């Protein structure tokens, strides 16, 4: 008697439509159907954060007639799952023959060939209605409640997340849409950083809390209009406690996930100036009160207040930074940001190691503008949880704009600047019409 074949298919969707049911019906006719449901982390890495968490997506597939078993596929790559279950047949839509998924397909074919497995592909069901479902899902992700709560969820799912600076719609879109695929994996930014330095710079002003909150909120709003990713807001010193509580409520209502406030007082200057300019650190008591007042003011459990410690920036040493970090978490801070302007990351690593000896839960945020040789993998290994690329989009755009302006001045025409310009076609791809 012929042995019943095992069939494997993997899904990342959080909504089942008739196209999925069609392909499942075909696959189950080929044998005992095992469905792989992709982990939250794997889905978030290449697509978007799933609306439904893994467990719910798993239950959804378990309840489909004809499905023999549902398992978790932890990575985009099928390698581990194929090695584990050795299915006789892998079923997939034929859409993965090109694009970033081609690598995955090639890998599947190579592995299947090692044990005589077979790949069965069905025509991908392109349907306007399915595109509409995906569009709707995306717009739900941008709703305040859903967007706000996603930072905590991502931290739990991934352990370490990254944020890239944006200060307007176009930089927001770059954070939202830039994805690279490499060796069967995909990589994109998890969140967006609304930086005081870059908001100020984009308005041609210094980073001294001169750009008021109303203008800062306008930048956030512009970003929110065209993105879905969670937003971390640079709240400078947070201002007076009496004002800070309103800032917390406004940001929370808008759907921002986290505010980071730094323990400085008086006229704030950008930290990267260090001790070249006069900067005063707030007292532990005052800053703790501000944090506690902010925590009391927020309405949801999702919103996070992060305390940023400036001790290393102001040459006050690790011991002072640690004392402050523990006091601020005691006061209710949901996360700690430790900053440094040294190229050498040792003092950051030293802080993280000592903090983690007493506190393994509170997320640690780092902004590696100066200590930029450290990779995300190393930060994760050391115990950091959020890596913010705080100003690279702003700083890369100026040289390009200046070069174009100079080329036009030199040549009395724009032709020489042409090669530096993004094509209209690329602009349309980045900014689609709804
Ligand atoms: C910002 O981006 O505005 C920051 C980070 O606060 S830093 O410029 O490094 O102080
Ligand atoms: Mg700032």
């Amino acid at each position: 008697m012929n042995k019943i074949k095992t069939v494997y298919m993997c899904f990342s969707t959080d909504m089942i439509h008739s196209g999925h049911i069609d392909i499942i019906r075909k696959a189950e006719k080929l044998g005992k159907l095992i469905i792989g449901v992709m982990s939250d982390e794997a889905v978030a890495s290449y697509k978007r954060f799933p609306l439904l968490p893994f467990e719910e997506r798993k239950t959804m597939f378990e309840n489909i007639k004809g499905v023999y078993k549902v398992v978790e596929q932890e990575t985009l790559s099928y390698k581990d799952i194929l090695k584990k279950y050795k299915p006789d047949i892998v079923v997939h839509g034929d859409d993965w023959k090109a694009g970033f998924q081609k690598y995955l397909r090639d890998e599947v074919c190579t592995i299947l060939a090692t044990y005589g497995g077979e790949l069965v592909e069905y025509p991908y069901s392109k349907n306007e209605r399915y595109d509409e479902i995906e569009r709707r899902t995306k717009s739900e992700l941008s709703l305040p409640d859903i967007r706000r709560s996603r930072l905590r969820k991502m931290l739990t799912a991934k352990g370490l997340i990254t944020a890239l600076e944006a200060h307007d719609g176009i930089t927001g879109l770059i954070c939202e849409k830039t994805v690279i695929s490499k060796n069967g994996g995909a990589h994109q930014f998890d969140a967006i950083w609304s930086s005081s330095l870059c908001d100020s710079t984009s308005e041609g002003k210094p980073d001294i809390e001169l750009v008021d909150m109303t203008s800062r909120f306008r930048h956030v709003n512009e970003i929110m209009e065209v993105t879905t990713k969670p937003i971390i807001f640079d709240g400078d010193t947070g201002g007076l406690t009496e004002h800070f509580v309103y800032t917390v409520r406004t940001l929370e209502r808008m759907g921002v996930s986290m505010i980071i406030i730094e323990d400085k007082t008086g006229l704030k200057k950008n930290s990267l100036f260090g001790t070249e300019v006069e900067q005063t650190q707030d007292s532990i008591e005052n800053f703790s009160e501000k944090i506690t007042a902010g925590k009391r003011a927020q309405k949801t459990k999702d919103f996070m207040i992060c305390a940023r410690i400036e001790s290393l920036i102001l040459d006050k040493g690790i011991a002072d930074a640690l004392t402050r970090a523990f006091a601020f978490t005691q006061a209710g801070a949901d996360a700690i940001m430790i900053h440094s302007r040294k190229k050498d990351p040792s003092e950051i690593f030293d802080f993280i190691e000592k903090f983690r000896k007493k506190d393994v839960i509170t997320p640690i945020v780092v902004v590696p503008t100066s200590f930029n040789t450290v990779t995300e993998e190393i930060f994760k290994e050391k115990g950091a949880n959020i890596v913010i690329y705080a100003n690279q989009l702003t700083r890369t755009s100026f040289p390009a704009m200046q070069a174009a302006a100079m080329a036009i001045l030199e040549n009395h025409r724009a032709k020489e600047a042409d090669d530096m310009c993004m094509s209209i076609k690329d602009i349309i791809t980045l900014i689609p019409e709804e």
Side-chain angles (χ1 to χ4, degrees):
M1 204 176 83
N2 280 346
K3 171 182 157 280
I4 296 177
K5 292 190 169 173
T6 49
V7 182
Y8 182 76
M9 281 188 79
C10 179
F11 286 93
S12 62
T13 185
D14 34 25
M15 219 173 281
I16 297 177
H17 55 59
S18 55
H20 298 130
I21 298 292
D22 277 353
I23 197 166
I24 288 173
R25 288 286 87 89
K26 286 179 190 152
E28 60 149 329
K29 289 204 177 80
L30 303 174
K32 236 163 44 179
L33 177 60
I34 301 175
I35 287 203
V37 168
M38 219 178 259
S39 66
D40 291 342
E41 185 178 349
V43 180
S45 74
Y46 86 104
K47 201 159 119 180
R48 55 167 170 73
F49 200 78
L51 274 181
L52 296 180
F54 167 77
E55 281 304 332
E56 283 181 43
R57 291 182 288 118
K58 181 165 179 266
T59 310
M60 204 163 73
F61 282 99
E62 279 167 347
N63 284 287
I64 295 180
K65 203 168 112 261
V67 173
Y68 167 67
K69 182 153 95 171
V70 180
V71 298
E72 180 173 24
Q73 182 169 320
E74 287 180 8
T75 55
L76 271 185
S77 161
Y78 282 53
K79 194 166 73 199
D80 294 341
I81 213 101
L82 295 191
K83 288 200 168 141
K84 184 163 178 188
Y85 293 102
K86 288 210 164 40
D88 300 296
I89 299 170
V90 169
V91 171
H92 202 285
D94 62 1
D95 54 316
W96 71 342
K97 286 184 175 169
F100 84 94
Q101 294 195 83
K102 185 178 178 309
Y103 178 94
L104 300 176
R105 180 183 186 273
D106 292 348
E107 190 181 55
V108 166
C109 292
T110 308
I111 298 170
L112 287 174
T114 62
Y115 64 86
E118 187 191 347
L119 174 64
V120 173
E121 291 168 317
Y122 294 111
Y124 179 69
S125 46
K126 179 97 186 119
N127 185 316
E128 260 305 303
R129 261 188 328 116
Y130 306 152
D131 292 346
E132 177 56 26
I133 292 173
E134 185 55 27
R135 264 198 297 278
R136 255 188 274 149
T137 310
K138 274 215 149 196
S139 66
E140 267 187 47
L141 284 172
S142 69
L143 293 177
D145 279 344
I146 297 176
R147 190 198 294 253
R148 188 197 308 112
S149 64
R150 250 186 8 264
L151 193 75
R152 277 195 197 272
K153 286 185 185 144
M154 282 191 147
L155 274 169
T156 310
K158 296 184 76 173
L160 179 127
I161 62 164
T162 59
L164 181 68
E165 175 269 322
H167 51 271
D168 57 12
I170 185 70
T171 44
L173 276 178
I174 290 171
C175 295
E176 179 82 8
K177 292 196 168 187
T178 310
V179 185
I180 62 148
S181 48
K182 215 159 115 187
N183 306 335
H187 201 46
Q188 61 177 306
F189 296 101
D190 302 299
I192 298 170
W193 167 242
S194 164
S195 148
S196 70
L197 173 69
C198 300
D199 278 3
S200 307
T201 307
S202 76
E203 295 191 19
K205 298 202 173 113
D207 181 19
I208 52 171
E209 290 186 283
L210 170 66
V211 175
D212 66 12
M213 279 299 165
T214 311
S215 309
R216 296 286 314 282
F217 297 158
R218 200 169 30 76
H219 288 268
V220 172
N221 212 25
E222 242 185 68
I223 295 166
M224 283 184 156
E225 287 228 31
V226 291
T227 64
T228 63
K229 292 188 177 178
I231 295 176
I232 303 173
F233 184 83
D234 175 0
D236 287 321
T237 64
L240 295 172
T241 299
E242 291 83 342
H243 296 175
F244 178 58
V245 290
Y246 281 90
T247 305
V248 165
R249 287 209 194 106
T250 307
L251 289 172
E252 188 185 27
R253 201 170 53 240
M254 289 170 83
V256 167
S257 305
M258 177 192 274
I259 184 170
I260 301 186
I261 50 168
E262 56 197 271
D263 60 352
K264 286 206 294 243
T265 185
L267 179 63
K268 184 223 88 150
K269 302 265 174 74
N270 185 274
S271 299
L272 301 175
F273 284 122
T275 48
E276 282 166 36
V277 293
E278 203 183 311
Q279 310 208 49
T280 324
Q281 209 170 10
D282 202 354
S283 70
I284 292 182
E285 295 69 31
N286 273 343
F287 200 68
S288 298
E289 273 171 29
K290 200 184 285 188
I291 292 165
T292 308
K295 287 309 291 173
R296 253 194 244 117
Q298 72 182 65
K299 302 268 189 247
T300 66
K301 62 177 184 1
D302 298 322
F303 188 77
M304 299 172 84
I305 296 179
C306 172
R308 161 174 168 173
I309 293 155
E310 294 286 292
S311 304
L312 304 181
I313 294 285
L314 302 171
D315 293 335
K316 301 266 180 72
I318 295 276
D320 184 68
L322 285 165
T323 308
R324 286 171 171 267
F326 294 126
F328 299 155
T329 46
Q330 198 65 35
D334 301 288
I336 292 294
M337 174 182 151
I338 184 68
H339 208 14
S340 161
R341 63 196 152 84
K342 299 213 170 113
K343 274 199 163 308
D344 177 356
S346 326
E347 61 179 11
I348 291 283
F349 292 163
D350 196 15
F351 173 90
I352 299 176
E353 192 188 333
K354 292 190 168 120
F355 184 77
R356 282 283 172 250
K357 282 208 173 113
K358 279 202 190 163
D359 183 334
V360 290
I361 292 168
T362 306
I364 296 178
V365 183
V366 289
V367 179
T369 304
S370 305
F371 41 101
N372 57 13
T373 53
V374 185
T375 61
E376 291 153 22
E377 290 73 17
I378 301 283
F379 278 127
K380 187 169 187 179
E381 217 177 277
K382 297 279 178 191
N385 307 91
I386 303 183
V387 175
I388 298 178
Y389 299 101
N391 48 46
Q392 285 74 11
L393 293 193
T394 291
R395 284 166 56 216
T396 47
S397 56
F398 295 150
M401 290 193 277
Q402 274 171 339
M406 279 165 61
I408 295 170
L409 280 181
E410 292 219 5
N411 298 286
H412 298 212
R413 63 179 193 181
K415 183 179 181 302
E416 285 70 17
D418 236 27
D419 287 348
M420 306 173 195
C421 293
M422 189 179 195
S423 71
I424 301 295
K425 183 171 154 271
D426 286 345
I427 292 183
I428 293 167
T429 314
L430 188 62
I431 310 175
E433 277 185 43
E434 287 288 311

